[in-house]
């Protein structure tokens, strides 16, 4: 029997809307990818993954206002420095991530606790599913190392999701056990390499908000094993230019639903 995995990538607020739309569209055609043996979530995908892995219906999740994310107040000066680092071809990837982490911790983007509380409001269920069922990625702001939480330890689900979604210099880094963590997308758009042992993988990869060349792009690979879903033309138009624009939630959700419906037979065959 195939070991299946669902990988949900980074993409800002509209990325969550689009992913939920894809899942709703698939379910309307009888395909429930939330039943995959393992779900990996990064950034936007961490929130989407936590919702579906804890049994929240995608339709219910999508009905919650996007404004539940709270106020977003980027630090544009440090953000520009972070983007320059992410596109620096002279440094190794770990050093770049550590540098971005330093900027993320110093960024003037508000306090972390209101942000974490806003994430808690987005998650109807705060308990992890069975250990190993859901993996949430984040990056240590000091070392630049990837961390993966899967419910086996004492890290609260809400803090894990908030950390994974903490786009550097846009949202505050999140403290877990005394250490600060930032967006798992700083290491990879999808972190799909974490499911290299799966027989059939579906990667749902919205537009990454970091726009960097130096982030690992591991969502491709053997097309017989990995099926990558990216926004189609209608979804790109629905998202617009700003993945943090909450007003784009309804059109992006709708475009995702239509795209999911159109992909159902292809994804069903891939997972069979």
């Amino acid at each position: 029997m195939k070991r299946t995995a669902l990988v949900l990538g980074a993409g800002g607020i509209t990325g969550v809307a689009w992913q939920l739309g894809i899942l709703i569209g698939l379910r309307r055609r009888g395909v429930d990818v939330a039943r995959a043996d393992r779900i990996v979530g990064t950034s936007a995908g961490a929130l989407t993954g936590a919702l579906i892995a804890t049994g929240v219906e995608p339709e219910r999740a999508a009905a919650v206002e996007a404004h539940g994310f709270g106020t977003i107040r980027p630090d544009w000066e440090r953000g520009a420095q972070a983007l320059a680092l992410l596109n620096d071809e002279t440094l190794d990837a770990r050093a770049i991530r550590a540098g971005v982490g330093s900027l993320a911790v110093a960024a003037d983007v508000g306090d972390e606790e209101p942000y974490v509380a806003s994430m808690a409001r987005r998650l109807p269920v705060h308990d992890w599913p069975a250990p190993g069922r859901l993996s949430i990625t984040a990056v240590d702001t000091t070392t630049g190392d990837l961390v993966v939480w899967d419910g086996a330890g004492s890290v609260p689900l809400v803090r894990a999701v908030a950390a994974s979604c903490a786009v550097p210099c846009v949202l505050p880094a999140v403290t877990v056990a005394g250490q600060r963590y930032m967006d798992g997308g700083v290491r990879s758009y999808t972190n799909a390499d974490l499911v290299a042992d799966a027989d059939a993988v579906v990667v749902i990869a919205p537009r990454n908000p970091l726009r960097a060349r130096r982030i690992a792009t591991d969502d491709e690979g053997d097309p017989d094993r990995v099926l990558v879903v990216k926004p189609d033309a209608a979804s790109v138009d629905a998202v617009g230019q700003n993945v943090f624009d909450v007003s784009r939630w309804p059109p992006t959700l709708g475009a995702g639903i239509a795209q999911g419906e159109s992909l159902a037979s292809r994804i069903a065959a891939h997972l069979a």
Side-chain angles (χ1 to χ4, degrees):
M1 190 172 185
K2 279 186 176 179
R3 293 167 298 173
T4 59
L6 173 65
V7 176
L8 298 159
I13 291 172
T14 55
V16 179
W18 178 73
Q19 287 174 336
L20 289 172
I22 292 288
L23 295 171
I24 292 168
L26 290 173
R27 281 164 57 93
R28 288 181 179 178
R29 294 292 184 265
V31 180
D32 189 359
V33 291
R35 294 181 179 177
D37 298 315
R38 187 178 176 194
I39 297 172
V40 174
T42 292
S43 198
L47 177 53
T48 306
L51 287 164
I52 63 173
T54 56
V56 179
E57 299 288 329
E59 293 87 349
R60 179 188 174 197
V64 179
E65 280 191 77
H67 292 277
F69 286 96
T71 301
I72 294 177
R73 190 187 69 194
D75 182 330
W76 297 113
E77 181 178 352
R78 290 188 177 91
Q81 295 175 43
L83 285 175
L85 267 177
L86 288 165
N87 288 285
D88 191 329
E89 299 292 343
T90 68
L91 300 174
D92 69 45
R94 188 168 182 264
I96 288 172
R97 293 194 298 268
V100 171
S102 179
L103 291 166
V105 170
D108 180 15
V109 291
D111 296 332
E112 69 174 280
E113 292 311 319
Y115 162 60
V116 174
S118 75
M119 194 62 70
R121 292 192 293 271
R122 294 286 305 175
L123 290 168
V125 180
H126 292 179
D127 295 326
W128 285 90
R133 166 96 170 104
L134 171 68
S135 296
I136 301 290
T137 70
V139 171
D140 186 312
T141 59
T142 300
T143 66
D145 290 335
L146 176 72
V147 62
V148 182
W149 296 302
D150 64 2
S154 59
V155 177
L157 177 61
V158 168
R159 296 199 82 84
V161 173
S164 187
C165 292
V167 178
C169 306
V170 175
L171 293 165
V174 173
T175 305
V176 177
Q179 178 55 43
R180 304 290 295 281
Y181 294 91
M182 62 183 173
D183 195 326
V186 175
R187 187 256 183 178
S188 162
Y189 296 149
T190 64
N191 292 293
D193 56 319
L194 297 177
V195 293
D197 58 344
D199 300 309
V201 180
V202 173
V203 178
I204 302 181
R207 172 181 158 194
N208 190 284
L210 297 174
R211 301 178 186 174
R213 294 194 305 269
R214 288 300 306 266
I215 297 176
T217 53
D218 54 20
D219 57 354
E220 305 297 340
D222 180 0
D224 292 330
R225 192 183 70 87
V226 181
L227 191 160
V228 181
V229 177
K230 296 181 179 180
D232 60 12
S235 295
V236 170
D237 287 343
V239 170
Q241 296 301 309
N242 180 4
V243 298
F244 300 107
D245 183 353
V246 296
S247 73
R248 306 309 299 170
W249 182 279
T252 301
L253 178 68
I257 291 172
Q259 186 177 355
E261 289 179 334
S262 72
L263 289 168
S265 60
R266 182 183 173 198
I267 289 177
H270 179 73
L271 293 175

